[in-house]
Amino acid sequence: MSKYEDFRRGQPTVTERYPQLKPGIALLEKQQDAHFDLVHRICGTTADRGSTPLFDIDIVLLSVLNRSLDLIDGFVATYDRWNLSSAAPQVRMQVDNLLRLALVNTAPPHSVTDLLLSGDRLSSHVDPLAAPGTKVKLTDARLRDHARPLFPWLDVVYEKASGWVHFSGVHVGVTMIVSADGKVSGRFPSDINLYPFEFLEQVLWAMNEATSGIVSLVDSFASGKAEASRHWQ
């Protein structure tokens, strides 16, 4: 057992200290379970027609779901151990999944799926939804423009989550504190008392919102595929 793990095992977990956060964790795990149903709906079998055909968009959806599964697993495992340096950035990565799904949902068929499957950076390509005669690149800011109508909370979560990814005052604040008389104190690893409840609540809420958006969009795609399959011969 590492020194870090031994140190954390001697402390209450986040949900032990704050039981009111347990429903948020339970909801996140429930949404993770829903991923398996979505995978089955996208590439499962049908009683009368055998295997469901896969399309380019399905490969993108399945890849996003797989990444989302891993992110949720990593988030739950680290969040409850007060490892917010690992848990919080995973919110930003989940938002990254959501931004791409929202663009696929909005853009003309194949225009974005081909880009995602090519392995190229989206920011190096022109937005297929840009006005005729303009060449606006698919930067994260542009992706947020397309996703914002679907998810009004997006900008707040994106900005905060980006702050969790890069070293910032957030990381300093949970490491060292300076009292009014100039006394400096801290603990290594971080003192759990330096994590405000509101911060813990916001991180969990943001992860649930981003995950809910992914589940909702993939559900819409899966429903559309099921409807189309009724007309296949």
Side-chain angles (χ1 to χ4, degrees):
M1 180 185 301
S2 69
K3 292 181 179 180
Y4 181 90
E5 184 179 3
D6 183 56
F7 177 78
R8 290 302 185 206
R9 281 167 64 94
Q11 300 175 313
T13 64
V14 170
T15 51
E16 286 174 344
R17 170 165 281 202
Y18 300 112
Q20 58 269 51
L21 295 175
K22 287 184 178 180
I25 293 291
L27 174 59
L28 189 56
E29 293 174 335
K30 183 178 180 180
Q31 294 198 91
Q32 186 184 40
D33 288 344
H35 285 43
F36 291 91
D37 175 64
L38 292 170
V39 169
H40 177 74
R41 289 167 60 193
I42 292 169
C43 62
T45 58
T46 58
D48 55 343
R49 284 182 289 274
S51 298
T52 303
L54 286 179
F55 302 97
D56 289 353
I57 180 62
D58 296 327
I59 296 174
V60 171
L61 298 177
L62 293 170
S63 300
V64 168
L65 288 173
N66 190 60
R67 186 182 188 220
S68 178
L69 279 172
D70 287 343
L71 288 174
I72 296 170
D73 178 68
F75 179 90
V76 173
T78 53
Y79 176 88
D80 213 25
R81 295 177 63 205
W82 300 94
N83 184 355
L84 275 297
S85 292
S86 294
Q90 292 177 83
V91 177
R92 175 65 182 80
M93 296 170 73
Q94 191 72 308
V95 170
D96 180 75
N97 281 337
L98 183 61
L99 289 176
R100 280 145 182 79
L101 279 183
L103 181 64
V104 172
N105 178 70
T106 309
H110 304 294
S111 62
V112 178
T113 53
D114 289 348
L115 295 180
L116 291 173
L117 294 174
S118 73
D120 293 344
R121 293 178 61 90
L122 284 183
S123 59
S124 66
H125 291 274
V126 174
D127 184 356
L129 294 169
T134 63
K135 293 185 178 181
V136 182
K137 293 297 182 69
L138 280 170
T139 61
D140 273 11
R142 189 66 176 179
L143 295 180
R144 297 205 317 270
D145 287 341
H146 296 313
R148 191 176 298 113
L150 296 173
F151 309 104
W153 48 264
L154 181 64
D155 286 330
V156 173
V157 169
Y158 180 92
E159 294 300 334
K160 294 226 176 251
S162 294
W164 303 330
V165 170
H166 306 292
F167 180 78
S168 65
V170 173
H171 302 97
V172 176
V174 297
T175 303
M176 309 294 293
I177 56 175
V178 181
S179 65
D181 60 1
K183 181 180 179 181
V184 178
S185 60
R187 179 177 292 174
F188 183 85
S190 299
D191 184 349
I192 62 176
N193 295 305
L194 296 183
Y195 288 100
F197 171 78
E198 292 75 16
F199 171 70
L200 296 168
E201 184 179 44
Q202 289 170 4
V203 171
L204 181 55
W205 172 84
M207 189 62 172
N208 263 310
E209 285 296 313
T211 302
S212 176
I214 289 169
V215 170
S216 176
L217 286 176
V218 178
D219 175 76
S220 178
F221 283 117
S223 296
K225 183 173 184 178
E227 178 62 27
S229 72
R230 296 191 179 94
H231 305 289
W232 297 337
Q233 299 299 321

